[in-house]
């Protein structure tokens, strides 16, 4: 009975939704601004955690980022201005989805380019290997005397 109760408690704890790290004192009184802040914070990376957004992180720096974002929105910044402020302050690493221009363009293109180059090198190396395989020697042309002898042997 104890095992069943423990298994049930474990299953329920695994099925429970993840608790968000946003503290009650951070929540803005204006529901529209709070919704904007939540939407923006889903795309901002916690600089302490690995690939976790600031909305879900319990790190003190993530809390500071959430508060700073809400301050910028309360001050009247647009969504783009608020995110740009955080990017200017902390760098593009703060974005969970990095931009595809500037120096990042090289990183976005490098992976597919290297894949295509690798496939090209493999195809070239394989074609060279197959060209090096020795072909069977071509049959030499028989002389008239050999042809006569072959015909005699075939008739027997």
């Amino acid at each position: 009975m104890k095992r069943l109760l423990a298994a049930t408690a474990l299953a329920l704890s695994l099925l429970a939704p993840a608790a968000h790290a946003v503290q009650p004192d951070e929540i803005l009184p204006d529901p529209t601004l709070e919704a904007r802040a939540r939407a923006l914070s889903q795309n901002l990376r916690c600089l302490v955690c690995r690939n976790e957004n600031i909305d879900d992180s319990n790190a003190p720096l993530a809390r500071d980022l959430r508060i700073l974002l809400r301050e910028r929105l309360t001050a009247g910044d647009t969504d783009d201005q608020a995110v740009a402020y955080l990017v200017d302050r902390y760098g593009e690493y703060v974005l969970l989805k990095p931009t595809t221009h500037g120096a990042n363009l090289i990183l976005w293109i490098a992976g597919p380019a290297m894949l295509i180059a690798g496939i090209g090198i493999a195809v070239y190396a394989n074609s060279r290997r197959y060209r090096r395989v020795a072909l069977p020697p071509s049959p030499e042309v028989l002389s008239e005397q050999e042809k006569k002898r072959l015909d005699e042997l075939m008739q027997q």
Side-chain angles (χ1 to χ4, degrees):
M1 183 65 176
K2 287 182 182 181
R3 285 187 181 184
L4 179 62
L5 186 60
T8 305
L10 178 65
L12 288 176
S13 68
L14 292 176
L15 294 176
H20 290 288
V22 177
Q23 303 299 315
D25 61 332
E26 297 174 22
I27 297 175
L28 296 171
D30 183 7
T32 306
L33 281 179
E34 181 61 27
R36 283 177 54 202
R38 289 286 178 108
L40 290 175
S41 64
Q42 292 294 319
N43 295 320
L44 295 172
R45 179 191 320 267
C46 173
L47 300 174
V48 177
C49 309
R50 290 253 182 218
N51 288 332
E52 189 174 5
N53 64 43
I54 62 172
D55 217 16
D56 294 335
S57 175
N58 287 323
L61 183 59
R63 177 182 164 79
D64 293 343
L65 287 171
R66 288 191 303 264
I67 291 171
L68 186 59
L69 177 66
R70 283 168 171 75
E71 286 174 358
R72 299 301 301 178
L73 292 176
T74 305
D77 284 0
T78 64
D79 293 354
D80 292 336
Q81 288 172 333
V83 171
Y85 178 80
L86 291 174
V87 168
D88 289 342
R89 192 164 182 183
Y90 296 100
E92 282 197 18
Y93 183 73
V94 78
L95 299 174
L96 275 174
K97 297 176 186 169
T99 61
T100 57
H101 64 276
N104 287 345
L105 187 60
I106 295 169
L107 297 174
W108 281 98
I109 292 174
M114 292 181 88
L115 176 66
I116 291 169
I119 291 171
I121 290 170
V123 167
Y124 177 73
N126 262 349
S127 68
R128 288 196 60 194
R129 184 175 71 180
Y130 286 121
R131 274 189 256 153
R132 276 189 268 152
V133 172
L135 297 174
S138 60
E140 295 181 16
V141 179
L142 299 176
S143 66
E144 288 299 320
Q145 185 180 12
E146 290 171 334
K147 285 182 187 177
K148 286 180 185 177
R149 175 76 179 133
L150 181 60
D151 286 337
E152 289 173 6
L153 289 173
M154 293 295 282
Q155 287 177 1
Q156 291 178 356

